[in-house]
Structures are given as structure tokens and as C-alpha cells.
Amino acid sequence: MRRLILGLVALLVALGAVAALPLHASAHALRQSSVPDSGADLPQPPADVIITFGEEPDPRLSSIEVLSTGGQPYQQGAAQAVPGNPLQLRVALKPLPTGVYTVSWRTFSHVDGHVAGGAFAFGVRKDPSSVSIPASVAGPPGPSAADIAGRAVLFLGLVGLVGGAGVATMVLPRPARAVVRTLPVAWGLAVVGTATVIASQARNAGAGLGDVFSTSIGRTVVERSIPLAIAGAALVLAFRGGDTRRRTAVGVAGTAGALAMLADVLNSHAAAGSAVAVNAAMQWVHIAAGALWVGGLFALLLGIRGLAGEARGRAVRRFSTLAGVALLAVAATGTVRAVIEIGAWDRLWGTTFGILVLVKVGLLLLLAGLGAVNRFRNVPVAARGVGGLRRVAGVEVMVAVAALLVAAGLVNEAPPTSEVARAAAQAPPSLVLDAHDYGTSVRMRLTVTPGSTGPNRFSAVLTDYDTGRPLDATGVQLGFAAPSCQSLGPTTLPLTRTAPGTWTATGSNLALGTAWQVTALVNRGSASVEIPVTVTPRVPPQTFTVQPGGNGLPTLYNIVLPVGKLQIYVDPETAGKVEFHATYFDAGGNGLDATVSSIKQAGTGGDLPLRQLGPGHYVADATVKRGTNSFDIAAVSGCQQLSSHIDIVVKG
């Protein structure tokens, strides 16, 4: 017992250090970004839709649908994993006519087995904001009663199994038959709960019984079943032989129950996000310590029936010490995990997950208070009588069952940090620029959202230079010119007044990733002014897809560009001397008049020998090795600078 206490104290110290680590949680395979992006107005129809998720989705249990405003499907085939990026799913599209399209997605997480869903819209030569997404496809499904009930039964069974085995082997002088007889019941509850959880996951994912073992659900079945099978076999042996054999068998059953808890943890929120090993270890300690505390209390009440005098007092004191250490472990690990999964105070009462955490904390505090009453009032007199101990402990057991029900609900809710990370990833970054006129009479704060090439929302906040008060104007207009591209003529964008001193509009004037001279004309009659500002939009992050080769065809790497795409392949696809092909296509799939200035290979130094085979088609002689080979391509099309990077893995 002394070694156990010292070990748990050391664990608590380690957890204090872990709390300072930059950990973050995730849960459910939620959309982080997509190509096309939400709200995009495309000049040409895309060939496919690619969605990046926060967790690895199971492609066989996930789907992507692309629907017109009339409900006609335009996807071709099922969603497929993108080679080289397990977080992405791709679906090919039929030719899209002009219009607005809703992308409805549904995922089954390969990590925690949760189902998520959502939708977004994009347009082809049409503003997608003119169409609303149907509520029936706009949000992920919530947990069902079967989801929560199955998890609650599973928790009750495992808590009873681990807590009962812990008391029988570490607290009581010998494994009491009354305790040992409850373990098969707890094991049965764990089996029923496990079967319910797996069946619920399969039903939510739309998988039939024959599909289970061909998907990630099959891995879950194996991970959960093996520890339970070991526990069941050990319990059979626990009813044969003497006390020594019974104690060993019960200890094995309890250890197997703890491993079943670990299997559950590895298929839960703790296995998503960063530092999986640390998060999973903390969560495992949290529920195992809770099982020793709560499940052990019920077993203690049964086990001390056959004890009297000092033997009973000694057993009660042992459990009180064990429960106190377990309480500290539950509090420490629970606090760290809550900080990781919630992340901010306001999310405690502003989210369902946070409210459930508050309820659970309240129940645990009530348990701790009841435990304190027992420890300081009833434990010292346990050798003489346990009436008070039984009454208080009976209330503790009921409160503990309520806490387990709340925990079952928590497992099926996405943590707030997961939702916030998803929202942050989807929220367009903005360019914010401050400027004023030459006469220093008007200040302007111009916000450009998302701040990248293509469609943007421009918001100009105008204030008096000296007083800072909102400025009245009869009209505001933005003028755009690209000094580095004389062939691209100037454009204008009238803004609309949306609030005192605030003028906004949406336009695609920032067509290139170059420095733009933007001039705001503030019309105030004779007091009109011009405010110049330089805006350099971001180029959207490079995205690519891989088309596997075969039957004499090479693997094709397609990089999405602002003006179309770049298609790359190497021939042959084996280590040694190869030809590196780079071909540019416009949005319609036709050859793009692009000029490649250089192709560089990492680790070789200098440019590769380059020659042109046709319009936009260039080839370079290279030598590749087995493993990853990195290339950088620099090109220009009109006034558009095109810079691309590709990593090609050579296996042969």
C-alpha cells in the first residue's frame, strides 16, 4: 500500500508538469477546409471536391454528396481517401453548369468512432450566398439514447469489475465470496455495454453486420473483446480452488478490466489531437482511479459483512487510504483533461460539453464531501460498528451512478476545443490596413476578408483624423491598380454604407497575388479626399491530389493553382535517372500558356536541365532516390507568378 501511494503521488507530480505542455484535443472528424472552399464563387466548374478533416475519417463509412439547388446529385462515385493525406476525402464531379451547389458530408472517425456531418455551398459563376443550406443537412447528428445508454452500461460494468477486484485483492484479508460473486455480473454488464456501443456505432455509420470487420469498427471490436475474454476466463477460475488461486484469478480479471478501459480510452476523445500517449494515459488513470474509488466502495460494503472487530476496521482504513489517493488522481487528471478539452472559462457554461463537465464536477465534489464524512467520522469507529458508514456510502453509490451517466454523455459530445479549432480553421484570415489621406483629415481602417486572391469582402471604417468620430460621407469607392502588371487595367468597387462611418462591398478585384495600389475615394463634396493604401493578397495554400498509376500509366500529381492546375509525373517511377514532367492546364482543362523559369530538386543545388515539349509542358532531367524527392517549380502565366512544391515518393 505504501508503494502504491508513493507511485500515485509521483504520478500527480508528473501530471502537474504535463498541464504546462501545449496539448490540444480534437474529436469527431469535422471539416477544417475544402477545395472549393465554403462560399467560393468559381469562374470555372471544378473537377472534384476535396475536404480536409480534423481527424482521419474512414472512407468506407464516410460520404460526400454534391447537390444542385434542385436536389440533383453531381458527385461521381463514392468518396475516396486522398493518397498521402489520410485527413482528406475526395469525390469526383460530373460537369457542373452555372449555379449554386451544396456539399453535404458525413464522416465516421477512424480514431474515436464518432459520426459527424455538415454542409457548405459554393457557386459556379454565381454567388452562393443567394442560396441557404437546408437545415436537414447543415449539422452533425447528436448522440442517441442508445449511444449514451450503451456507454453507461459499459462504464458501470468496468467500474464494478475493476473496483471489486481491487478491493478483493488489496483491501480485504481474503477475497470475500460476496464480492467475487458480483464480478461476473459486472463482467456481463461490460460485455452488454461493449456490444451496444459497437452496434450503435455501426448503426450510426450505416454499416451492416457483414461490413463491420472490413471497416475501422472491426479494429475496435478486437481491441475491446480481447481484454473482456481474458477477464471472463479468469472469473471462471476464480470459483475453483482456494483463497490464493481465487485472489490471483480475481487480480487477473481486474487487470483485464483495466485493459478494457484502456481500449475504450484509445477509441475516445483522448486518442484525438496532439500528444495521444499523454492524453490517453491521463484519461486511463482518471477512469481507473475512479473505478477503484466508486466500484471499490460498493465492493467494500459487501466484503465487510463477514468481518468484525479490528479485521473490519483494518479493511475500512485500507480502503479509505486507497480511496483518498484515487480521489486525488481523479481530480488531477480530470482537471488537466478538462483544461485541454474546454480551453476557456466561458465554454464551461456556453457549451453542452462544458455544462456536463460542471454537472460531473458538482457530483464528484458531493462524493468527496460524503467521503470526508466517512473518513473523519465513520472510519475511525469501523471496528465497533459500520451503521453510519453504510448509510453514507449508500448515498455515495447513488451519486456515483449519476456521475457515470454524465460521463457517458460526455464521451458522445465533441469537446469545445475541437469545435473552436474547426471554426478557427474555417474562419477566413483578414488583412487589416490603416491609412489616411495626405492632408491628415481622415483615417481609414480597411479590412479585406479573407485577404487572398479572388473574391474578398472589403470593409472601410472612416473616422475623423483628430477626434476619432465616425465620418459622414455621401459615397465611398475603391480603385484598384496593379503596377507590376500594366496589361491588367484598373478597376473600381463602390462601397455601401452599413453603419455610421462603415462602408462595405464584395468584389474579385484582387485577381493576382501581387502588390495592388488601392485608392479609397471618400466623396464629401468640396472636402472629398483620396486615401492610398497598398494591399498584397495572400495566395491560397497549395493543395494537390494524387491519381495512382498502373497498367503502364504513371502516378499523376495535380496541384491546384489560381489559374488552373499543374500536373506532374516522373518517368520511370524508379530510383535513378528520370524525366520530370510539368504540364500546366487552365480551369477548363486546356493547355495553359505558362513559362517555367526553373525546376529545382532539393539536395542537388542549382536548376535542373530544362526543355519545353509543348505549350505549358516542360520536362527536366533528374536523378531520384528511393524515398522522398522534393521539387520546386517556378513559372509565370501572364502577370501571375506560379510557385509550386511537390514531394514525390519513389518506392522502386
Side-chain angles (χ1 to χ4, degrees):
M1 180 64 71
R2 185 179 295 109
R3 288 193 295 269
L4 174 63
I5 294 173
L6 291 175
L8 287 174
V9 169
L11 173 64
L12 296 179
V13 173
L15 287 173
V18 168
L21 294 176
L23 307 177
H24 69 271
S26 181
H28 301 60
L30 299 172
R31 171 181 171 268
Q32 306 295 308
S33 62
S34 62
V35 179
D37 205 356
S38 175
D41 185 357
L42 307 178
Q44 298 293 333
D48 52 26
V49 170
I50 301 174
I51 304 179
T52 302
F53 298 95
E55 281 183 15
E56 181 181 346
D58 187 333
R60 291 158 294 188
L61 298 175
S62 304
S63 64
I64 300 175
E65 292 182 316
V66 181
L67 307 173
S68 67
T69 52
Q72 181 181 358
Y74 275 86
Q75 73 276 4
Q76 290 193 101
Q80 303 289 331
V82 175
N85 194 333
L87 296 178
Q88 290 185 333
L89 291 180
R90 169 189 176 273
V91 68
L93 299 179
K94 303 173 184 177
L96 301 182
T98 298
V100 175
Y101 298 88
T102 297
V103 180
S104 175
W105 57 268
R106 182 180 174 89
T107 57
F108 181 88
S109 173
H110 186 80
V111 179
D112 60 24
H114 287 134
V115 174
F120 63 93
F122 69 90
V124 177
R125 296 181 289 270
K126 188 173 182 179
D127 182 5
S129 62
S130 61
V131 176
S132 59
I133 298 175
S136 59
V137 299
S144 66
D147 296 333
I148 298 175
R151 190 72 62 168
V153 172
L154 173 61
F155 284 173
L156 284 172
L158 292 179
V159 165
L161 182 59
V162 173
V167 165
T169 56
M170 292 188 293
V171 172
L172 299 176
R174 65 181 60 85
R177 285 190 173 273
V179 176
V180 175
R181 287 170 182 166
T182 66
L183 299 183
V185 177
W187 178 84
L189 289 175
V191 170
V192 171
T194 297
T196 305
V197 167
I198 293 171
S200 182
Q201 287 182 345
R203 183 183 64 254
N204 293 338
L209 185 60
D211 301 326
V212 167
F213 285 97
S214 63
T215 66
S216 57
I217 300 178
R219 170 184 58 84
T220 302
V221 172
V222 174
E223 291 176 351
R224 294 180 182 275
S225 299
I226 291 177
L228 289 177
I230 295 173
L235 289 177
V236 172
L237 297 176
F239 288 91
R240 300 176 181 178
D243 287 347
T244 301
R245 183 173 182 177
R246 182 178 295 116
R247 183 184 296 275
T248 302
V250 168
V252 171
T255 302
L259 291 177
M261 287 180 170
L262 178 60
D264 187 67
V265 167
L266 295 177
N267 289 278
S268 69
H269 296 162
S274 66
V276 172
V278 175
N279 273 304
M282 283 193 294
Q283 187 68 15
W284 189 26
V285 170
H286 182 73
I287 61 175
L292 288 175
W293 174 23
V294 175
L297 178 62
F298 179 74
L300 178 72
L301 295 178
L302 295 176
I304 60 176
R305 287 180 176 179
L307 300 178
E310 182 56 28
R312 182 174 59 194
R314 189 181 305 111
V316 170
R317 289 193 298 272
R318 281 181 182 173
F319 177 77
S320 181
T321 302
L322 177 65
V325 176
L327 171 60
L328 290 176
V330 168
T333 54
T335 300
V336 176
R337 290 287 298 136
V339 169
I340 293 171
E341 292 186 330
I342 296 176
W345 287 108
D346 59 329
R347 298 175 200 155
L348 271 173
W349 48 83
T351 63
T352 302
F353 189 96
I355 292 173
L356 288 174
V357 167
L358 288 176
V359 173
K360 182 181 174 184
V361 168
L363 292 172
L364 291 178
L365 288 176
L366 179 56
L367 279 174
L370 293 170
V373 171
N374 266 337
R375 179 172 182 83
F376 296 109
R377 177 181 297 178
N378 297 321
V379 170
V381 298
R384 298 194 301 272
V386 290
L389 176 71
R390 290 186 184 279
R391 287 191 293 272
V392 175
V395 177
E396 283 188 79
V397 170
M398 290 187 290
V399 175
V401 171
L404 289 175
L405 292 175
V406 174
L410 275 171
V411 172
N412 290 283
E413 284 290 332
T417 50
S418 176
E419 292 284 358
V420 170
R422 176 184 63 85
Q426 291 184 210
S430 300
L431 296 177
V432 180
L433 305 109
D434 293 310
H436 57 80
D437 65 311
Y438 291 113
T440 62
S441 61
V442 179
R443 295 182 188 271
M444 178 182 71
R445 167 160 287 190
L446 181 64
T447 302
V448 185
T449 305
S452 57
T453 56
N456 281 280
R457 181 176 178 82
F458 299 88
S459 177
V461 178
L462 304 173
T463 57
D464 182 85
Y465 189 91
D466 296 318
T467 66
R469 294 175 180 173
L471 191 76
D472 290 329
T474 57
V476 177
Q477 177 176 281
L478 299 181
F480 299 82
S484 63
C485 188
Q486 298 299 323
S487 62
L488 192 65
T491 61
T492 59
L493 178 66
L495 306 185
T496 301
R497 185 177 183 272
T498 56
T502 303
W503 299 74
T504 62
T506 299
S508 299
N509 304 73
L510 301 177
L512 303 177
T514 186
W516 290 81
Q517 186 62 48
V518 179
T519 303
L521 173 60
V522 182
N523 192 342
R524 303 178 67 206
S526 59
S528 298
V529 297
E530 290 186 343
I531 304 176
V533 62
T534 300
V535 178
T536 303
R538 305 181 184 94
V539 177
Q542 174 181 292
T543 60
F544 71 93
T545 61
V546 181
Q547 295 175 239
N551 297 324
L553 298 176
T555 300
L556 300 179
Y557 301 84
N558 299 293
I559 299 177
V560 179
L561 301 173
V563 291
K565 73 175 181 180
L566 167 60
Q567 189 173 85
I568 293 172
Y569 67 90
V570 295
D571 184 27
E573 296 182 277
T574 56
K577 295 186 179 299
V578 301
E579 290 185 340
F580 179 91
H581 289 258
T583 308
Y584 290 84
F585 298 92
D586 62 21
N590 303 309
L592 179 68
D593 185 16
T595 302
V596 175
S597 59
S598 71
I599 297 179
K600 300 180 183 293
Q601 182 180 4
T604 61
D607 298 345
L608 297 177
L610 183 66
R611 59 186 183 278
Q612 185 173 4
L613 299 185
H617 185 183
Y618 290 79
V619 61
D621 296 317
T623 301
V624 299
K625 65 181 187 302
R626 293 186 64 181
T628 302
N629 298 266
S630 300
F631 297 87
D632 291 283
I633 307 98
V636 62
S637 177
C639 296
Q640 182 75 56
Q641 298 291 329
L642 305 174
S643 298
S644 304
H645 174 86
I646 189 71
D647 293 326
I648 296 178
V649 177
V650 176
K651 298 180 180 179

